[in-house]
Amino acid sequence: MNEFDQAYLVPDGTDLQGIKDALEARCRIGEDEPRHLLRRFHDTFDWSLYLAGGVLEERIDGHQRVMMWRDLNDEVPILACELEGDLGFAADLPAGPDTERLGRLLGIRRLLPLLDVHSRILTWRLLNEDDKTIARLELEQNRYDDKARERQGPISTRLRLHAVKGYEADFRDTALMLNEGLGLSLVRTELLLEALASAGRKPGDYSSQLNFRLDPDRRADDTTKEILLHLLNTIEVNIPGTRDNLDSEFLHDFRVAVRRTRSALTQIKDVFAPDVVEQYKDVFGWIGEFTGPVRDLDVYLLDFNAYQVCLPEPLRPHLEPLRDFIHAHYGEEQKALVEHLDSKRFRNLLRDWRAFLEAPVPESSVVPNAMRPVLAVANDRIWTMYRRVRKEGRAMTPASPAEDMHELRKSCKKLRYLIEFFDSLYSKQEVRQLVKLLKVLLDNLGKFQDLAVQADHLREMAQRMRDEDGASTDTLLTMGILVGDLLEHQHRAREDFAQIFASFDSEDHQGLFKSLFEDQKRQGKGA
């Protein structure tokens, strides 16, 4: 909102005709036909625009359909352009430098509608003696409509005052009258936030990140249930987007929550009965298996442009049949995934798992760690897993088989998950330092493993393409060059490992792990 555009809040129960009468007492008013304005607010599922301080509106005003990107609480758009197609991915946005900025915020996520605000607008033109318009007022009577949750209702009426060039003094006089004469105050709340609050929604209410506030003295079994219940919520909230394949991050977040669940079950040891751990470890493993094929294809599609860039330019077009092949098989894998998500086994699993997690822990338990303070259990488990990572990493040599690197990666993931589950029990700054350290090591190990897997899958796909549709010689040769490039990058990752692990295993970092986890353990903190 700039100096010559002001929005006022009209309190509930205000006599709107009284406002008009007060204005007409000062000057004549010309009134336009009422019109309807639809504002459809969009964001990604993880609120990337809101978290960046922005709002994206699709405005439908008569026959005009416009996209507006603006800062929160500011009506002046950063970007405004007419729309022809539907809003979706960054690639669907109109071209331009501002849309590139917007695209970077969206990343690989799809824009989704948050809710609608319908406005009935009465326009009053304030006229002077010569019938010239000296200011314009728009009275907005607003209703929100949250279709996804089937909620709707009225929200505040707003009166917008717009200046007319050359009549700025009349604008100021009118603003003064509205404020001091009628007692209207300027709007302080963003329309989107008011509509979300009325719909019972909290902006930024989804994040795939863990953010617990754990009590160090609370029982370990009860705390572990809290962690697992959060992960179950993350799994469930991502099911609709995964089923509808809205964007690849729904399945990604779903799978990460499943992996974390298995890790919590197996690494926060001896807090639940062994039969419970075995049962759910297996079924969450089953979920990981049936969601894997689609995720593999997602990764190929997400990385496809990077694959092409690493090839000599004349060869790049020969890789396109691979993209077509992936798309052609994607539907089959997605259909199989949806059948699993809709299966009785899957539904019963989530129902039973939630029932277990929401049930109170028994007053007394013979499971060894169940009744211990969670801080003591966290110290034990993180320190033990850290020592395993250190041992496995130190044993690695240039001749070590790839399987050993893979095992080390799995141990590093378990260590990272444990630290992230319990990070609120420790110094935030020091824990962040350790997680950052682990990420660097995991990136290296992940690159080594993933590139080998991708190279193997590419070889398999080349065979299938040749068998199914007779892929051209040029395409098969290009895929062979790509496999060679992936393996070359894998080799470099292997060469980088020693230096990266040495940094992880430096004396300073050993001391940090020791002071955070072993020293507390020895001092009996939380025991």
Side-chain angles (χ1 to χ4, degrees):
M1 191 69 54
N2 62 38
E3 181 185 0
F4 294 110
D5 286 294
Q6 302 284 7
Y8 297 86
L9 191 66
V10 180
D12 290 345
T14 298
D15 177 9
L16 301 181
Q17 183 60 43
I19 295 176
K20 186 179 179 186
D21 292 344
L23 291 165
E24 281 187 316
R26 298 177 68 246
C27 62
R28 288 187 305 110
I29 291 180
E31 186 169 344
D32 295 344
E33 286 293 316
R35 74 180 203 277
H36 176 259
L37 170 67
L38 167 63
R39 295 180 178 92
R40 179 161 293 154
F41 294 93
H42 296 259
D43 208 330
T44 58
F45 188 67
D46 58 355
W47 300 89
S48 60
L49 300 186
Y50 168 77
L51 295 176
V55 176
L56 189 72
E57 291 181 30
E58 174 188 356
R59 286 194 181 194
I60 301 175
D61 191 350
H63 296 295
Q64 191 177 35
R65 183 163 165 262
V66 175
M67 180 187 81
M68 291 180 60
W69 177 34
R70 58 181 175 79
D71 289 331
L72 278 166
N73 297 310
D74 191 345
E75 293 288 329
V76 180
I78 300 168
L79 169 68
C81 58
E82 288 198 15
L83 279 176
E84 294 182 0
D86 292 334
L87 288 171
F89 292 102
D92 303 323
L93 297 172
D98 289 322
T99 49
E100 285 181 15
R101 285 176 53 208
L102 181 58
R104 284 194 291 275
L105 287 175
L106 300 181
I108 58 176
R109 300 228 66 158
R110 179 195 289 268
L111 281 168
L112 301 171
L114 288 172
L115 48 67
D116 294 347
V117 172
H118 296 270
S119 305
R120 181 176 183 271
I121 299 179
L122 298 174
T123 302
W124 297 331
R125 288 175 288 103
L126 307 190
L127 307 173
N128 65 9
E129 299 80 4
D130 300 323
D131 262 358
K132 300 281 189 185
T133 300
I134 57 175
R136 200 172 76 255
L137 282 154
E138 292 182 328
L139 185 71
E140 286 184 7
Q141 294 168 287
N142 299 311
R143 291 182 63 83
Y144 78 90
D145 184 0
D146 185 353
K147 289 186 173 61
R149 291 158 188 78
E150 298 182 343
R151 293 178 184 173
Q152 52 183 280
I155 53 177
S156 67
T157 297
R158 298 176 179 219
L159 185 62
R160 298 181 187 275
L161 172 62
H162 304 288
V164 173
K165 190 174 181 181
Y167 296 96
E168 287 81 5
D170 295 291
F171 170 86
R172 294 190 188 92
D173 289 346
T174 306
L176 191 65
M177 191 274 283
L178 292 174
N179 182 235
E180 297 186 358
L182 296 178
L184 300 182
S185 56
L186 290 172
V187 168
R188 302 293 182 194
T189 305
E190 160 70 42
L191 184 65
L192 169 62
L193 299 186
E194 183 188 351
L196 287 170
S198 298
R201 298 185 63 185
K202 184 180 177 185
D205 59 2
Y206 173 77
S207 169
S208 61
Q209 304 300 310
L210 303 179
N211 187 24
F212 299 112
R213 294 286 180 270
L214 303 179
D215 176 355
D217 298 321
R218 190 174 164 202
R219 281 175 51 162
D221 54 358
D222 209 16
T223 305
T224 305
K225 281 195 171 190
E226 178 188 337
I227 293 169
L228 289 165
L229 195 55
H230 173 88
L231 295 171
L232 175 58
N233 291 337
T234 301
I235 290 170
E236 290 180 333
V237 81
N238 278 289
I239 290 174
T242 299
R243 178 186 283 110
D244 295 340
N245 194 24
L246 295 177
D247 67 47
S248 59
E249 288 302 279
F250 285 98
L251 177 57
H252 173 264
D253 288 0
F254 177 101
R255 282 172 53 80
V256 170
V258 168
R259 279 203 304 271
R260 282 173 167 162
T261 297
R262 287 195 84 216
S263 193
L265 271 169
T266 55
Q267 297 309 310
I268 309 176
K269 290 185 180 298
D270 297 329
V271 293
F272 300 136
D275 60 327
V276 171
V277 174
E278 284 304 311
Q279 176 189 353
Y280 286 104
K281 183 184 75 172
D282 289 344
V283 291
F284 279 101
W286 167 67
I287 297 174
E289 287 175 9
F290 78 68
T291 54
V294 173
R295 180 58 191 166
D296 289 344
L297 296 181
D298 279 337
V299 170
Y300 283 117
L301 291 173
L302 291 170
D303 290 345
F304 200 88
N305 291 341
Y307 289 156
Q308 284 187 310
V309 167
C310 73
L311 292 168
E313 196 163 349
L315 296 181
R316 293 173 189 172
H318 298 310
L319 205 59
E320 285 299 326
L322 173 61
R323 196 199 306 261
D324 296 338
F325 179 84
I326 293 171
H327 279 298
H329 288 78
Y330 195 100
E332 298 169 17
E333 299 294 354
Q334 176 68 18
K335 183 181 175 187
L337 186 152
V338 171
E339 286 174 355
H340 279 107
L341 293 178
D342 291 340
S343 68
K344 188 176 178 182
R345 181 184 180 189
F346 181 75
R347 291 198 307 271
N348 289 346
L349 159 66
L350 295 192
R351 181 200 62 200
D352 295 347
W353 183 230
R354 177 170 288 283
F356 169 75
L357 296 178
E358 290 182 343
V361 293
E363 190 173 332
S364 175
S365 174
V366 295
V367 181
N369 284 332
M371 298 181 68
R372 292 179 69 199
V374 68
L375 177 59
V377 175
N379 287 336
D380 282 350
R381 293 305 307 145
I382 295 173
W383 181 246
T384 299
M385 188 52 64
Y386 165 68
R387 291 177 64 196
R388 183 194 294 182
V389 166
R390 199 174 59 182
K391 182 179 178 184
E392 291 176 357
R394 288 176 178 176
M396 209 67 67
T397 71
S400 297
E403 291 77 12
D404 289 358
M405 293 282 280
H406 183 49
E407 287 303 312
L408 175 58
R409 183 192 185 194
K410 289 199 292 186
S411 297
C412 285
K413 275 191 177 180
K414 290 171 185 171
L415 176 59
R416 178 181 167 181
Y417 289 158
L418 280 170
I419 293 175
E420 289 177 337
F421 293 151
F422 298 121
D423 69 350
S424 64
L425 301 174
Y426 304 97
S427 157
K428 183 175 288 187
Q429 185 178 356
E430 290 174 321
V431 162
R432 281 182 180 171
Q433 185 181 349
L434 293 183
V435 170
K436 190 175 176 183
L437 197 62
L438 268 170
K439 281 182 179 177
V440 174
L441 182 54
L442 276 166
D443 283 347
N444 171 263
L445 294 166
K447 190 181 292 184
F448 178 82
Q449 173 73 12
D450 293 344
L451 288 171
V453 170
Q454 288 175 28
D456 283 345
H457 284 178
L458 276 175
R459 281 193 287 260
E460 292 171 12
M461 279 195 277
Q463 181 68 48
R464 290 174 60 192
M465 289 170 69
R466 194 181 66 173
D467 295 344
E468 291 180 18
D469 61 3
S472 72
T473 303
D474 284 339
T475 292
L476 295 175
L477 286 173
T478 302
M479 290 177 69
I481 293 170
L482 179 59
V483 168
D485 185 78
L486 293 176
L487 293 177
E488 174 60 27
H489 280 84
Q490 188 211 18
H491 180 69
R492 288 182 204 158
R494 184 67 181 83
E495 288 183 333
D496 293 340
F497 168 77
Q499 185 177 356
I500 290 171
F501 184 78
S503 172
F504 172 84
D505 198 29
S506 70
E507 287 189 10
D508 286 347
H509 296 147
Q510 290 178 46
L512 190 52
F513 272 103
K514 186 171 182 296
S515 65
L516 270 178
F517 307 115
E518 195 204 26
D519 289 352
Q520 286 205 48
K521 184 179 163 188
R522 283 185 175 173
Q523 292 162 14
K525 287 187 179 178

